[in-house]
């Protein structure tokens, strides 16, 4: 009884083999692993190239040919590679996921192969309903050719053939298109895909008699002159990416086995836009959409390169993020950085043309690279009250480099500051305030200060105390009108005379204003909490220009209600001139002031022009 139990237990523990639904696996490949059915041709080329590489590892003088023939919904691919015996066929082609690179002593040479995941011919079922492979081994010349035929339902047959069926070593793959996929096997499509995937392969690849490989790569060719090289690379870029570049940058990293070129875009792009690059792995196109190849700041170039060190993902359509890729990214970034430094040192006209389009990319780099910031100081453009200048030139003109953190703040103060001789840099654009603050680290002795409302007000001329005292009634009425809006009223004399009023605030004032508004709308609990956060931050202020004729007329009014309406109008106009976003209370004030002025203008008792 114990013996029977033991035998039963052993039987129940015996290993079983997974049953694979090939149609389901093909659907998984075509809809989830691969981005497009076109990868079937890459897999065929890859298998052929790997077979030739395997044969040449043992027979260095062996022929290296791949031939493709497409007609009437069928495709035939012939290679002069290592070939297979009947035993190889059973071990390799009939076992999904098995890689021939792991066997026959080729583990050491595996880095020379393109394929690393053993999916192989299975990908061809994405476009084919039947696959037939005829192969003859170069390692066992006396072995008969073998034929492996498989259908997309998972069934296959294997048989040996007469020697004349395949006189030379190598492999021939025959595909028959599945319903609706014949276009993928058309001659025109096969030529296009073969050229796209295999133009840089190291062996002789042809579709019918048309050559596919085009070696050496454009960046590795010899040219009569630098100008000829530049023109040739520009043509290559236009054919590949569809644009004529501003310039081309050599990408040569021998330690990482990388050769290629980066093309500089001729028009500006958003820093948030992910650049897509073309990466070839040992000559075979791996992806057209490599996004993590360069540092984020290098969004102004598109790259094409060949590598033998980067790892592909399982689909072989993108790069595996690892330490090697991180090191390559840094090395390629250094090449682009060196190109910029070279332009600054020897070709200022080309640098100026580049920066006029792509200054954002260089600013992004200069934020974290002090040497790049020092190099680019004479070239990077900034918006200032003196016009569009570099920080170097602006710092030479002004002992203190004032800047604002937002565009709105700059627009408030730029006309007034300029008239008072105060230099201001608009730091509201991407990266600009960071670079201005970093200026003293690369230009010792430079004083940098953020411009706030107090600084601007301090540079405006005070009004004679006697005159201001005489206008105390007017100022009191004006302040009472704007006090609910969290805004003070001050009187100053400044240029230009055409500006009647200036609205000034800073971030602290806006934060306090936002807190007060939230407190008004909150329940008792939150109102108490927000009230406890009340700070001593300065309030916004409306600076009235005592030199402006309109302000002088308004300040002579005796009607407090009319003074209030005029003050609201000046406040609203100052907000609009500063291009500040209007709160609901501000919009209501503008409507109220507009209607109030219309009522006064049309009131029967309102004085005529001649009586004013």
């Amino acid at each position: 009884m114990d013996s029977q139990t033991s035998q039963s237990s052993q039987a129940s523990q015996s290993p079983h083999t997974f049953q694979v639904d090939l149609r389901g696996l093909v659907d998984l490949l075509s809809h989830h692993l691969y981005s497009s059915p076109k990868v079937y041709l890459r897999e065929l080329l890859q298998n052929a190239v790997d077979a030739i590489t395997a044969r040449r590892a043992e027979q260095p003088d062996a022929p290296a040919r791949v031939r493709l023939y497409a007609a009437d919904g069928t495709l035939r691919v012939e290679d002069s590679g290592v070939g297979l015996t009947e035993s190889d066929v059973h071990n390799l082609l009939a076992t999904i996921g098995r890689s021939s690179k792991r066997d026959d002593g080729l583990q050491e040479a595996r880095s020379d192969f393109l394929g690393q995941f053993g999916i192989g011919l299975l990908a061809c079922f994405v476009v084919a309903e039947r696959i037939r492979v005829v192969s003859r081994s170069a390692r066992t010349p006396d072995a008969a050719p073998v034929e492996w035929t498989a259908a997309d339902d998972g069934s296959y047959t294997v048989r040996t053939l007469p020697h004349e069926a395949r006189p030379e070593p190598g492999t021939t793959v025959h595909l028959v298109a599945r319903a609706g996929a014949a276009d993928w096997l058309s001659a025109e499509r096969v030529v296009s895909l073969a050229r796209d995937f295999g133009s840089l392969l190291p062996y002789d690849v042809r579709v019918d008699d048309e050559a596919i490989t085009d070696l050496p790569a454009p960046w590795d060719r010899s040219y009569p002159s630098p100008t000829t090289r530049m023109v040739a690379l520009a043509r290559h870029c236009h054919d590949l990416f569809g644009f004529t570049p501003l310039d081309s940058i050599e990408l040569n990293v021998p330690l990482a086995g990388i050769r290629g070129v980066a093309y500089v875009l001729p028009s500006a792009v958003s820093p948030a836009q992910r650049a897509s690059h073309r990466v070839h792995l040992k000559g075979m196109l791996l992806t057209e959409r490599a996004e993590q190849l360069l540092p984020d700041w290098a969004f102004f170039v598109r790259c094409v390169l060949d590598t033998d060190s980067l790892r592909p993902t399982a689909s072989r359509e993108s790069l595996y993020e690892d330490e090697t890729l991180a090191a390559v990214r840094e090395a390629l970034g250094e090449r682009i950085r060196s190109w910029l430094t070279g332009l600054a040192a020897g070709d200022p006209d080309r640098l100026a043309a580049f920066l006029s389009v792509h200054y954002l990319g260089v600013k992004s780099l200069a934020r974290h690279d002090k040497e790049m910031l020092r190099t680019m100081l004479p070239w990077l453009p900034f918006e200032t009250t003196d016009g569009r200048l570099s920080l170097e030139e602006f710092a030479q003109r002004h002992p203190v480099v004032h800047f604002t953190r937002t565009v709105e703040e700059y627009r408030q103060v730029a006309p007034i500051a300029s008239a008072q001789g105060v230099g201001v840099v608009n730091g509201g654009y991407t990266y600009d305030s960071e670079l201005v603050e970093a200026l003293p680290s690369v230009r010792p002795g430079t004083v940098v200060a953020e411009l706030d409302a107090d600084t601007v007000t301090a540079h405006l001329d005070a009004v004679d105390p006697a005159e201001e005292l005489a206008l105390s009634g007017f100022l009191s009425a004006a302040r009472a009108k704007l006090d609910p809006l969290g805004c003070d009223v001050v009187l100053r004399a400044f240029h230009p005379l055409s500006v009647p009023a200036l609205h000034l605030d800073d971030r602290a004032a806006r934060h306090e204003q936002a807190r007060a508004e939230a407190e008004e709308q909150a329940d008792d609990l939150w109102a108490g909490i927000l009230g406890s956060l009340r700070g001593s931050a300065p309030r916004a202020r409306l600076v009235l220009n005592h030199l402006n004729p309109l302000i002088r007329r308004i300040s002579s009014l005796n009607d407090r209600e009319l003074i209030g309406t005029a003050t609201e109008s000046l406040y609203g106009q100052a907000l609009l001139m500063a291009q500040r976003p209007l709160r609901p209370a501000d919009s209501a004030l503008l409507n109220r002031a507009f209607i109030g002025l219309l009522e006064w203008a049309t009131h029967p008792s309102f004085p005529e022009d001649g009586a004013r």
Side-chain angles (χ1 to χ4, degrees), residues 380-412:
L380 286 175
F382 289 78
E383 183 180 356
T384 78
T385 48
D386 292 352
R388 198 161 181 81
L389 299 176
S390 69
L391 287 181
E392 175 68 28
E393 186 175 357
F394 188 82
Q396 291 174 358
R397 297 185 182 185
H398 299 277
V400 179
V401 178
H402 290 99
F403 73 98
T404 63
R405 291 192 182 276
T406 68
V407 175
E408 290 79 8
E409 290 173 350
Y410 178 80
R411 288 170 177 165
Q412 286 184 71

Side-chain angles (χ1 to χ4, degrees), residues 157-227:
T157 60
V158 179
R159 66 187 181 116
T160 57
L161 301 175
H163 282 275
E164 56 269 19
R166 177 81 199 191
E168 299 294 331
T171 300
T172 302
V173 179
H174 302 261
L175 301 187
V176 177
R178 64 168 57 245
D183 181 61
W184 288 105
L185 272 62
S186 67
E188 183 179 358
R189 180 67 68 92
V190 169
V191 169
S192 175
L193 293 178
R195 183 170 288 118
D196 200 34
F197 282 119
S199 62
L200 300 184
L201 288 174
Y203 304 133
D204 179 16
V205 181
R206 296 175 182 270
V207 178
D208 294 323
D209 292 327
E210 186 170 349
I212 296 301
T213 50
D214 186 20
L215 295 177
W219 50 84
D220 285 330
R221 296 173 188 169
S222 297
Y223 297 93
S225 67
T227 301

Side-chain angles (χ1 to χ4, degrees), residues 280-572:
H280 295 256
L281 179 62
K282 302 179 182 70
M284 181 75 76
L285 178 66
L286 179 71
T287 179
E288 301 172 277
R289 298 185 298 276
E291 295 183 347
Q292 68 273 51
L293 188 64
L294 295 180
D296 289 341
W297 54 262
F299 54 82
F300 50 83
V301 298
R302 294 292 180 271
C303 295
V304 54
L305 56 83
D306 189 25
T307 175
D308 58 17
S309 64
L310 298 179
R311 289 175 57 194
T313 58
S315 66
R316 292 189 288 278
E317 293 186 280
S318 59
L319 297 172
Y320 187 80
E321 184 69 50
D322 59 9
E323 292 181 358
T324 302
L325 179 57
V328 165
R329 184 186 300 122
E330 179 62 29
L332 295 180
E334 182 58 36
R335 296 296 183 276
I336 299 173
R337 185 184 290 109
S338 298
W339 170 77
L340 284 170
T341 304
L343 287 186
D347 201 337
D349 291 338
R350 283 171 66 197
L351 178 63
F354 166 77
L355 288 177
S356 68
V357 179
H358 295 299
Y359 57 89
L360 272 182
V362 180
K363 286 182 176 181
S364 176
L365 171 60
R367 288 183 305 156
H368 308 295
D369 189 326
K370 292 295 186 292
E371 190 57 39
M372 181 56 64
L373 177 57
R374 183 179 291 107
T375 301
M376 291 295 159
L377 267 180
W379 308 103
L380 286 175
F382 289 78
E383 183 180 356
T384 78
T385 48
D386 292 352
R388 198 161 181 81
L389 299 176
S390 69
L391 287 181
E392 175 68 28
E393 186 175 357
F394 188 82
Q396 291 174 358
R397 297 185 182 185
H398 299 277
V400 179
V401 178
H402 290 99
F403 73 98
T404 63
R405 291 192 182 276
T406 68
V407 175
E408 290 79 8
E409 290 173 350
Y410 178 80
R411 288 170 177 165
Q412 286 184 71
V413 303
I416 308 303
S418 178
Q420 308 305 312
V422 179
V424 184
V425 178
N426 184 356
Y429 295 117
T430 307
Y431 312 132
D432 283 9
S433 62
E434 297 174 71
L435 293 175
V436 175
E437 289 181 298
L439 188 56
S441 67
V442 296
R443 196 178 189 276
T446 303
V447 179
V448 172
E450 183 175 354
L451 190 68
D452 56 22
D454 288 334
T455 303
V456 176
T457 306
H459 280 82
L460 305 180
D461 294 335
V463 177
D464 182 84
E467 290 189 53
E468 187 166 358
L469 181 61
L471 298 175
S472 58
F474 161 72
L475 292 174
S476 174
R479 287 165 181 158
K481 198 65 175 178
L482 296 187
D483 183 67
L485 296 173
C487 183
D488 290 333
V489 176
V490 296
L491 188 66
R492 292 289 187 274
F494 56 87
H495 294 272
L497 300 180
S498 57
V499 178
L502 176 67
H503 181 271
L504 294 177
D505 65 359
D506 52 26
R507 283 175 296 159
R510 289 195 292 274
H511 290 167
E512 173 61 21
Q513 192 175 67
R515 186 209 60 77
E517 291 177 357
E519 181 180 355
E520 290 179 3
Q521 300 173 7
D523 56 28
D524 292 340
L525 174 62
W526 281 108
I529 295 174
L530 292 170
S532 67
L533 298 177
R534 182 183 298 111
S536 57
R539 304 197 329 158
R541 66 197 67 177
L542 182 69
V543 183
L544 302 179
N545 188 359
H546 188 54
L547 301 180
N548 180 267
L550 176 62
I551 296 298
R552 286 185 174 274
R553 288 199 297 269
I554 294 175
S555 63
S556 66
L557 296 173
N558 295 319
D559 190 320
R560 288 183 65 89
E561 186 175 350
L562 182 55
I563 290 174
T565 300
T567 302
E568 286 182 331
S569 300
L570 290 169
Y571 174 82

Side-chain angles (χ1 to χ4, degrees), residues 226-242:
T227 301
T228 306
R229 178 183 182 82
M230 184 182 300
V231 171
L233 289 178
R235 186 183 304 113
H236 174 250
C237 176
H238 189 273
D239 293 341
L240 202 61
F241 293 115

Side-chain angles (χ1 to χ4, degrees), residues 26 29 34 37 39-40 43 119-128 131:
V26 168
L29 290 175
Y34 295 130
V39 297
Y40 87 92
E43 295 291 343
I119 296 173
L121 288 173
L122 191 60
C124 294
F125 280 120
V126 173
V127 297
I131 302 174

